[in-house]
Amino acid sequence: MAGQRGWALGVPLVAAAAGLLFAMSAGASRGSDLRASSGLALPDVIRTQTRVVERKAVQVRALTSDVARLTDTRAAADPALATLAAQVDTLGAAVGTEAVTGPALTVELNDARTGGRIPDGYTVDDVIVHQQDVQAVVNAMWAAGAEAMTIQDQRVIASSAVRCVGNTLILQGRVYSPPYVITAIGDVPTLRAGVESDRGVAIYREYVDRVGLGYRVTQSAGVTMPAFAGGLDLRYAKITE
């Protein structure tokens, strides 16, 4: 009887405790799913933020055009401003703030087409393009004297950051999937030689032969690249000896 009495007393206590926990959970979640997967929402977040960046880029281009127009108007009556504007025009092509046209070399990198089967002895990391692969091509082109460069549809400069997450490329607030297309304006034979002799690119090309990574090099007699749309101020930098 004592055991039955203890059980009879315990059941209400357990039920009360369970009810309290349910109430606390409901209050904390306010009717939402506490265990909703943030991973499932991430693609939506990326798409939303990409659209925000695209809208901001349009605004930046419009404001830049307004600044140029007002500068030209004021420079006609202000010799000091006219001198500064001329310096900006002179440096614009080198800095990347002006659209440019010229002969170009293009390198396209793509994930391997494995048909869902990873070659024996390799992992999934071996059949996708990584950040260091894109960066190797970019560095090789700059080192070979590239005068201007785009990655995908964006103009980049020497300080542009290339960052990959999984098999997607994040560049200046936008997200891209492979194939990754890097185009550089300059002396095409020199650019090609620079890419072909680069050690990082050579390692990538080894995996082209081993697992079928995509690698294609083409050239064009004339390519027009837009002006760089990002910020030019360095936020984190230090002088080293």
Side-chain angles (χ1 to χ4, degrees):
M1 292 293 293
Q4 292 178 351
R5 191 164 46 247
W7 174 258
L9 292 174
V11 169
L13 290 175
V14 171
L20 178 61
L21 290 174
F22 285 134
M24 291 174 63
S25 176
S29 67
R30 292 179 175 86
S32 62
D33 184 1
L34 286 175
R35 298 186 64 81
S37 172
S38 60
L40 293 176
L42 183 57
D44 293 332
V45 172
I46 292 174
R47 282 190 288 268
T48 299
Q49 293 304 312
T50 297
R51 288 193 292 270
V52 170
V53 170
E54 290 172 349
R55 288 197 299 271
K56 296 295 184 183
V58 171
Q59 295 174 5
V60 168
R61 288 194 292 270
L63 291 173
T64 300
S65 178
D66 289 343
V67 169
R69 177 176 52 79
L70 291 172
T71 299
D72 290 341
T73 300
R74 296 292 182 87
D78 188 336
L81 181 58
T83 299
L84 291 174
Q87 293 176 353
V88 169
D89 291 340
T90 300
L91 297 173
V95 173
T97 56
E98 291 184 0
V100 293
T101 300
L105 184 77
T106 296
V107 177
E108 180 182 302
L109 309 179
N110 203 355
D111 294 346
R113 296 181 178 179
T114 63
R117 180 181 177 278
I118 306 301
D120 293 338
Y122 296 93
T123 68
V124 67
D125 283 337
D126 297 319
V127 298
I128 63 175
V129 180
H130 291 282
Q131 174 178 327
Q132 65 265 27
D133 303 322
V134 177
Q135 194 68 62
V137 173
V138 170
N139 289 345
M141 287 181 160
W142 285 130
E147 299 170 12
M149 190 180 303
T150 58
I151 301 177
Q152 304 301 79
D153 59 349
Q154 291 199 65
R155 177 80 174 271
V156 296
I157 58 177
S159 60
S160 297
V162 178
R163 185 161 58 94
C164 289
V165 178
N167 65 336
T168 61
L169 172 70
I170 300 177
L171 178 63
Q172 293 162 188
R174 299 184 186 179
V175 180
Y176 301 93
S177 297
Y180 303 129
V181 181
I182 305 105
T183 301
I185 287 178
D187 183 75
V188 172
T190 303
L191 292 172
R192 184 184 291 272
V195 170
E196 291 178 352
S197 63
D198 183 83
R199 178 55 184 160
V201 178
I203 292 174
Y204 178 87
R205 291 170 64 185
E206 291 177 6
Y207 279 81
V208 171
D209 296 332
R210 294 178 183 179
V211 300
L213 285 171
Y215 180 77
R216 187 163 67 101
V217 180
T218 57
Q219 64 185 63
S220 175
V223 168
T224 298
M225 296 183 176
F228 175 67
L232 296 175
D233 294 335
L234 294 177
R235 301 179 64 182
Y236 304 100
K238 65 179 181 179
I239 300 174
T240 58
E241 297 295 336

